[in-house]
Amino acid sequence: MSAVEADIKPEEVLIDVVLRLIAGARHVAVGANSPIPAAAAFLAQLLSPEAPNVSLQQSPEHNLWTDGGRELFDSAGQGRIDAFFFSGAQIDGSGNINLNVIGDHTHPKARFAGAYGSAYLYFMVPRIILFRLEHSRRTLVERVDFISAPGTSPPNVFRRGGPVALVTPLCHFSFDKSRARFRLESVHPGHSVEEVLDSTGFAFDLPAGVPATPAPPPETLALLRSRVAPRLAAIYPKFAEKVFGIPMPAGAVPMG
Amino acid sequence: MSAVEADIKPEEVLIDVVLRLIAGARHVAVGANSPIPAAAAFLAQLLSPEAPNVSLQQSPEHNLWTDGGRELFDSAGQGRIDAFFFSGAQIDGSGNINLNVIGDHTHPKARFAGAYGSAYLYFMVPRIILFRLEHSRRTLVERVDFISAPGTSPPNVFRRGGPVALVTPLCHFSFDKSRARFRLESVHPGHSVEEVLDSTGFAFDLPAGVPATPAPPPETLALLRSRVAPRLAAIYPKFAEKVFGIPMPAGAVPMG
Amino acid sequence: MAKIRELDAALSAIADGSKLAVPADYAGVAMEATRALIRRGVRGLHLVTLPASSLQAELLVGAGCVATLETSAVGFGELGAAPRFTAAVLAGTIALKDATCPAIHSALRAAEMGNPFGALRGIIGSDLLKQRPDWKVIDNPFGENDPIVLLPAIRPDVALFHARLADRNGNVWVGRQRDLFTLAHAAEKSVVTVEALHDGDLLADEVIAAATIPAFYIDAVALAPRGAWPLKMLGLYGEDAQHLLDYIALAATEEGFARYLDRHVHRRRAA
Amino acid sequence: MAKIRELDAALSAIADGSKLAVPADYAGVAMEATRALIRRGVRGLHLVTLPASSLQAELLVGAGCVATLETSAVGFGELGAAPRFTAAVLAGTIALKDATCPAIHSALRAAEMGNPFGALRGIIGSDLLKQRPDWKVIDNPFGENDPIVLLPAIRPDVALFHARLADRNGNVWVGRQRDLFTLAHAAEKSVVTVEALHDGDLLADEVIAAATIPAFYIDAVALAPRGAWPLKMLGLYGEDAQHLLDYIALAATEEGFARYLDRHVHRRRAA
């Protein structure tokens, strides 16, 4: 690892991977609580010749919608959204994601926020990119406890999209929908195939000679830190503080 | 007929009848090409303590809608519209109306504009008032050639509204939905029950001693002519010229 | 490609045989564009009116541009009937899909939501149902012995309408004419004529943005001042009633209609 | 009765057991009104969030006001999980109707249109379907072997939200937050808190009218400056992230939550 690479934050590697995964998209939408995808989408606006439309679902200041929160779902239904992002408390080897519960739904052991738009957008957006910042056997499992949205569907079920990739702090998997199975595409600098195998709870295709994920080009990093980071700080203050060292703003109204 | 009554236009009598039929309504909507209902609704705003909301479907200048032309149908579906109006090329004794064709639909003998919203609103608005300015055996028929909207429905069909009255230049009928049959309520000044019988193509209930329709009260007439007529002229120039003698405006752009 | 174009270039998205959706008179009808389409000789349109039409459907039908017409009504309201529409229906020269206003709204909103069908109360017992084998009655699965009509979604190839303002990015301000959002969402492409171009970003101001269709729905915008004439444009001009009355009289015959086209369509109107 | 009222009077439309619909954080959440409802001790709400919620659902659940919660998600995004919501679900003290965002939009739009159900693609194969016996899969009558989900319409008794402006007639300007139109249309009654009162008629100007909900949908309006605090109000103030982080930490325990209520709900916040 070079001195420059040592300076690169893991989140910055992920942002660069996502940036390549959304290449050529005309419209990238970003859901709740997705600072890494948002960073990649803002970068694509600055770097790519297509300058994709970018819409942040929960930030009317940062989207093009003028017909309410429903417009994301409507335009996905119309086929106008090319890329979207999901995480999951659990993600399994068949591409199923779980945003709801661990254990039985009626008597759960753990509860998360909920499915958000996943059970719809996972079907309707051609390029769904999964990301998970904890790469472990706890999060990447053989079989999710609860399918918030299924990775694949029987041929008679209307579906125009689904997962194409899974990005973690260790590696980048692609997803083969015909086999409902992930394939290891690259391992990030500082990590190894063995570490990925040890940390992943599901089986996946392992080609011979998995390459290292390239480090983000210096111009990408520079743009990210100089121009994208301040935009992120307004939307994801906690993330921007952690990754870019931008202090969180004081509350608008003091605790009384 | 007194001298004052001789001065009253038949349309003014109809407007006053409609005014009484919409008493107590909270929201009166008026569709395309309905100057008499529009006049009555404007009068109700000036005269009635409830001061109903009035919405003219085709005139955004004269309605409260801010969600597009669909808002009339939506708010009718929500149960927020109390009164609406329809005419028909034919109206039959069961309350069916025909706004589409005379003869067979595939090879019609005559064609009219079309059903507009009748096939929906006729079911959804509690008080539908029918009006027809030609009272003849040609227009008021035993059975319409084409049912644009049915007068009544079987009990299992969702329906919260329907026709309550039919107003013509000769008389005012009420409609009994349980028997799908009209009843003669009053005959306008200058006309007789015999004339109504001669001119009506459908059978109806004829009580003993049908009263004369009262002439519009002088204050109603005064308001109609002074304050309502100019508003009507902006929307229904042809009607306002004919009934109130207000000249039609010259075209905005000359014929070239 | 730049979104602001000359009228004929903007209309190139409307090919022969297109399913073309247009709004009602109150919402902004692209009449200047309609005349340009007739001059170009467009043919075989499947014209959908949201929900009714007057001169626009009438001229397109009369000029032989329309194969199929899906509408709730074509007429001039109190001014009179639409003579060429009436003649075409009586002669059987167009395929007519008779509808009712909220059915067209529902079918376009279904397309807006990516649904294959919309639902609608009412209609049952209307003879419209007999003419529309594409409308289906199902038993409401949430009720009991409760029939309800389903309508297949309408996905127009192109939506065409007239609005007050566009900016140079192609954002279009439509004000209260919210049906135009649904048209633009439901259609694959949207072509818009506008009264004026706005020097700035219509999305930059929250008050204006709230009634602005974002450019990513809009394929082309052409400037057409008074582009709804002789129909009305809310807040700017009323309908030219005398012109419409003259039209209705003239178009009573085929020759009269041809004369009207000569005068007002083929010979471009002097401003 | 005048539509502009004191907050507690405006909230009288929300009775115990009401089906109460509220918007997501970005659209304007009536937090001051929510605190007033908790002070009043409302009970047995069927709370519907369009489509997700954070502090509003969290406080109402934590304070014992909610019997049934219909939502796509409750959480604070990157700031953290919603502790009282999580605890209530784990303890089984509320009936949870887990949904997905566009399903709640579709069900409210169905009510807006007077339809008994809405349709939605997707969902099939999600375990959400197993938890929602009220959602039904039918075979699309316009397709072949094409299953699709139908959702029963949601007709709230009351919609409650926070907006920027109302006039004295009760017209409410909501800008781009168009979901609030659907909420107001779908609900029987709507109660709105606003940042400010406008001295004029919001419907008088076409540009403003285009994003104004007409008064005939609105039952009561109460003035509540900074009424979304500590959540955000587009263009006026952002969310108070530090307050929310402090809340999340405090509400990890029942007592901590009780202390929060004491401090921020029962003892009215000094402006």
Side-chain angles (χ1 to χ4, degrees):
Chain A
M1 199 187 296
S2 75
V4 171
E5 280 172 354
D7 187 39
I8 298 174
K9 292 270 174 37
E11 288 85 353
E12 292 175 324
V13 175
L14 269 60
I15 289 167
D16 186 54
V17 173
V18 172
L19 176 64
R20 281 180 277 119
L21 286 166
I22 62 177
R26 302 158 305 160
H27 198 145
V28 179
V30 179
N33 193 15
S34 305
I36 286 174
F42 288 154
L43 268 175
Q45 284 192 306
L46 298 171
L47 283 168
S48 90
E50 294 89 3
N53 291 319
V54 175
S55 295
L56 267 57
Q57 186 190 357
Q58 306 222 335
S59 295
E61 309 88 333
H62 297 90
N63 69 42
L64 301 164
W65 313 126
T66 57
D67 200 35
R70 66 184 176 215
E71 194 174 358
L72 164 65
F73 307 106
D74 286 354
S75 49
Q78 295 153 25
R80 294 186 210 265
I81 305 294
D82 299 319
F84 198 79
F85 308 88
F86 278 108
S87 189
Q90 297 175 319
I91 297 172
D92 75 22
S94 304
N96 301 310
I97 61 176
N98 175 9
L99 295 154
N100 289 77
V101 291
I102 300 293
D104 176 67
H105 187 270
T106 322
H107 302 287
K109 287 184 280 199
R111 169 74 205 190
F112 311 107
Y116 288 106
S118 62
Y120 180 73
L121 294 175
Y122 216 45
F123 291 75
M124 301 304 270
V125 177
R127 250 188 274 182
I128 297 276
I129 296 154
L130 296 170
F131 63 100
R132 190 63 170 98
L133 296 188
E134 178 188 336
H135 188 143
S136 73
R137 289 180 172 266
R138 200 179 74 96
T139 58
L140 305 187
V141 299
E142 190 58 40
R143 178 83 191 165
V144 295
D145 288 24
F146 184 93
I147 300 175
S148 300
T152 59
S153 298
N156 68 317
V157 171
F158 182 92
R159 183 158 196 162
R160 69 158 71 103
V164 296
L166 165 59
V167 181
T168 77
L170 299 187
C171 67
H172 161 205
F173 295 104
S174 63
F175 185 73
D176 177 353
K177 76 173 174 185
S178 66
R179 296 169 56 239
R181 197 173 160 93
F182 287 102
R183 169 192 155 104
L184 186 61
E185 289 290 332
S186 72
V187 176
H188 303 334
H191 300 283
S192 66
V193 170
E194 289 63 39
E195 197 183 345
V196 172
L197 282 166
D198 281 353
S199 309
T200 305
F202 56 71
F204 54 88
D205 287 351
L206 182 60
V210 175
T213 308
E219 57 276 23
T220 300
L221 272 181
L223 271 179
L224 175 59
R225 292 169 183 178
S226 64
R227 294 184 56 192
V228 172
R231 286 185 72 181
L232 286 177
I235 314 161
Y236 303 105
K238 212 169 155 185
F239 179 86
E241 181 171 58
K242 177 180 171 225
V243 178
F244 304 110
I246 299 174
M248 294 236 306
V253 169
M255 296 285 275
Chain B
M1 200 189 296
S2 75
V4 171
E5 278 172 355
D7 187 38
I8 298 174
K9 293 270 174 39
E11 288 85 353
E12 294 175 323
V13 175
L14 268 60
I15 289 167
D16 186 55
V17 172
V18 172
L19 176 65
R20 280 180 277 120
L21 287 166
I22 61 177
R26 299 158 307 159
H27 198 144
V28 178
V30 179
N33 193 15
S34 305
I36 287 174
F42 289 154
L43 269 175
Q45 283 192 306
L46 298 171
L47 282 168
S48 90
E50 294 89 3
N53 291 320
V54 174
S55 295
L56 266 57
Q57 185 190 359
Q58 307 222 333
S59 296
E61 308 89 333
H62 297 90
N63 68 42
L64 300 165
W65 314 126
T66 57
D67 200 34
R70 67 185 176 213
E71 195 173 356
L72 165 64
F73 308 106
D74 286 355
S75 49
Q78 294 153 27
R80 293 186 210 266
I81 306 294
D82 299 320
F84 198 80
F85 308 87
F86 278 107
S87 188
Q90 296 176 319
I91 297 170
D92 77 19
S94 305
N96 301 310
I97 60 175
N98 175 9
L99 295 155
N100 288 78
V101 291
I102 300 292
D104 177 67
H105 187 270
T106 324
H107 302 287
K109 287 184 281 198
R111 169 74 204 189
F112 312 105
Y116 288 106
S118 63
Y120 180 73
L121 294 174
Y122 216 44
F123 291 75
M124 301 305 269
V125 178
R127 251 187 274 182
I128 298 275
I129 295 153
L130 296 170
F131 63 99
R132 189 64 172 95
L133 296 187
E134 179 187 336
H135 188 141
S136 73
R137 290 181 171 264
R138 200 178 74 96
T139 57
L140 305 188
V141 298
E142 190 60 38
R143 178 82 192 167
V144 294
D145 287 26
F146 184 94
I147 299 175
S148 300
T152 58
S153 298
N156 68 315
V157 170
F158 183 91
R159 184 160 196 161
R160 68 158 73 102
V164 297
L166 165 60
V167 181
T168 78
L170 298 188
C171 68
H172 161 206
F173 294 105
S174 62
F175 185 73
D176 177 352
K177 74 174 175 185
S178 65
R179 294 170 56 237
R181 198 174 160 93
F182 287 102
R183 169 193 153 102
L184 186 61
E185 289 290 332
S186 71
V187 175
H188 302 336
H191 301 283
S192 66
V193 170
E194 289 63 40
E195 198 183 345
V196 172
L197 282 166
D198 281 352
S199 310
T200 305
F202 57 72
F204 55 86
D205 289 350
L206 181 60
V210 175
T213 308
E219 56 276 23
T220 301
L221 271 180
L223 270 179
L224 174 61
R225 292 169 183 177
S226 64
R227 294 183 56 194
V228 172
R231 287 184 73 182
L232 286 177
I235 315 162
Y236 304 104
K238 213 169 153 184
F239 179 85
E241 181 171 59
K242 178 182 169 224
V243 177
F244 303 110
I246 300 175
M248 292 235 308
V253 170
M255 296 286 276
Chain C
M1 184 157 44
K3 292 203 172 173
I4 312 298
R5 304 193 198 148
E6 291 298 313
L7 181 57
D8 287 333
L11 295 173
S12 65
I14 303 170
D16 284 1
S18 290
K19 184 177 283 194
L20 179 68
V22 296
D25 286 12
Y26 50 79
V29 176
M31 283 308 302
E32 188 64 38
T34 302
R35 288 183 286 269
L37 283 173
I38 294 171
R39 278 197 294 276
R40 199 187 81 195
V42 69
R43 284 291 175 275
L45 294 178
H46 178 151
L47 185 67
V48 179
T49 70
L50 178 64
S53 185
S54 70
L55 190 64
Q56 184 177 37
E58 166 75 2
L59 290 187
L60 287 169
V61 166
C65 307
V66 175
T68 300
L69 176 60
E70 194 161 357
T71 189
S72 300
V74 178
F76 292 93
E78 67 150 4
L79 301 180
R84 292 299 98 203
F85 161 75
T86 307
V89 175
L90 294 183
T93 54
I94 56 170
L96 181 65
K97 299 178 88 169
D98 251 319
T100 184
C101 302
I104 301 182
H105 283 286
S106 179
L108 283 160
R109 283 159 110 175
E112 176 178 50
M113 294 187 231
N115 284 337
F117 53 78
L120 193 68
R121 286 297 193 188
I123 306 181
I124 292 163
S126 163
D127 286 337
L128 289 173
L129 259 184
K130 296 185 194 160
Q131 310 306 323
R132 296 299 303 257
D134 55 333
W135 292 357
K136 292 187 194 291
V137 180
I138 66 162
D139 195 30
N140 170 12
F142 301 93
E144 208 170 305
N145 185 22
D146 176 20
I148 183 166
V149 176
L150 299 187
L151 314 145
I154 298 175
R155 303 179 191 281
D157 297 309
V158 186
L160 172 66
F161 53 89
H162 186 67
R164 191 141 168 181
L165 278 181
D167 66 23
R168 287 172 203 282
N169 299 322
N171 300 303
V172 176
W173 188 81
V174 299
R176 281 205 264 168
Q177 304 310 329
R178 207 74 195 182
D179 299 340
L180 301 177
F181 273 78
T182 294
L183 270 188
H185 293 172
E188 201 188 328
K189 298 182 174 185
S190 288
V191 176
V192 182
T193 58
V194 292
E195 289 288 325
L197 288 173
H198 174 79
D199 279 325
D201 180 354
L202 288 167
L203 294 178
D205 176 273
E206 274 301 315
V207 177
I208 296 169
T212 297
I213 301 176
F216 68 92
Y217 296 102
I218 308 294
D219 290 80
V221 172
L223 185 63
R226 300 193 70 83
W229 176 86
L231 304 181
K232 65 186 170 186
M233 194 64 194
L234 176 63
L236 293 180
Y237 45 91
E239 74 178 8
D240 187 343
Q242 191 55 57
H243 180 98
L244 297 178
L245 286 170
D246 291 349
Y247 168 81
I248 293 165
L250 204 53
T253 66
E254 273 282 10
E255 305 124 25
F257 179 73
R259 278 218 307 284
Y260 179 89
L261 287 189
D262 265 358
R263 202 180 297 165
H264 293 288
V265 176
H266 295 300
R267 181 152 63 90
R268 282 164 184 263
R269 146 173 87 97
Chain D
M1 187 160 39
K3 292 203 173 173
I4 312 297
R5 303 191 199 152
E6 291 300 313
L7 181 56
D8 287 333
L11 294 173
S12 65
I14 303 169
D16 284 2
S18 289
K19 183 177 284 194
L20 179 68
V22 296
D25 286 13
Y26 52 78
V29 176
M31 284 307 303
E32 188 62 40
T34 302
R35 288 183 286 268
L37 282 173
I38 294 171
R39 277 195 296 276
R40 200 186 81 195
V42 68
R43 284 292 175 272
L45 294 179
H46 178 152
L47 185 68
V48 179
T49 71
L50 178 64
S53 184
S54 69
L55 190 64
Q56 184 177 34
E58 166 75 2
L59 290 188
L60 287 169
V61 166
C65 307
V66 176
T68 300
L69 176 60
E70 194 160 358
T71 189
S72 300
V74 177
F76 292 93
E78 67 150 4
L79 301 181
R84 292 299 97 206
F85 161 75
T86 307
V89 175
L90 295 183
T93 54
I94 56 169
L96 182 64
K97 300 180 89 169
D98 251 320
T100 184
C101 302
I104 300 181
H105 284 285
S106 180
L108 282 160
R109 282 158 111 175
E112 176 178 48
M113 296 186 231
N115 285 336
F117 53 78
L120 193 68
R121 285 298 194 187
I123 307 182
I124 292 163
S126 163
D127 286 337
L128 288 174
L129 260 184
K130 296 185 193 159
Q131 309 308 323
R132 296 297 304 255
D134 54 333
W135 291 358
K136 293 189 194 291
V137 180
I138 67 161
D139 195 31
N140 170 13
F142 301 93
E144 207 169 305
N145 186 22
D146 176 20
I148 184 167
V149 176
L150 298 187
L151 315 144
I154 298 175
R155 303 178 191 282
D157 297 310
V158 186
L160 171 66
F161 53 89
H162 185 67
R164 193 143 167 177
L165 278 181
D167 66 22
R168 288 173 201 281
N169 299 321
N171 300 302
V172 176
W173 187 82
V174 300
R176 283 205 261 167
Q177 305 309 329
R178 209 73 194 181
D179 299 340
L180 300 177
F181 274 77
T182 294
L183 269 188
H185 293 173
E188 201 189 328
K189 299 183 174 184
S190 289
V191 176
V192 183
T193 59
V194 292
E195 289 288 326
L197 287 172
H198 175 80
D199 277 328
D201 181 354
L202 288 167
L203 294 178
D205 176 274
E206 274 300 315
V207 178
I208 296 170
T212 298
I213 301 176
F216 68 90
Y217 295 102
I218 309 294
D219 290 79
V221 173
L223 184 63
R226 299 192 71 82
W229 177 85
L231 303 181
K232 65 187 171 187
M233 193 64 195
L234 177 63
L236 293 181
Y237 45 92
E239 74 179 7
D240 187 343
Q242 191 55 58
H243 181 98
L244 296 178
L245 286 170
D246 291 349
Y247 168 80
I248 293 165
L250 204 53
T253 64
E254 273 281 10
E255 303 123 28
F257 179 73
R259 278 218 306 283
Y260 178 89
L261 287 189
D262 265 359
R263 203 181 296 166
H264 293 289
V265 176
H266 295 300
R267 180 151 63 88
R268 284 164 183 261
R269 145 173 88 98

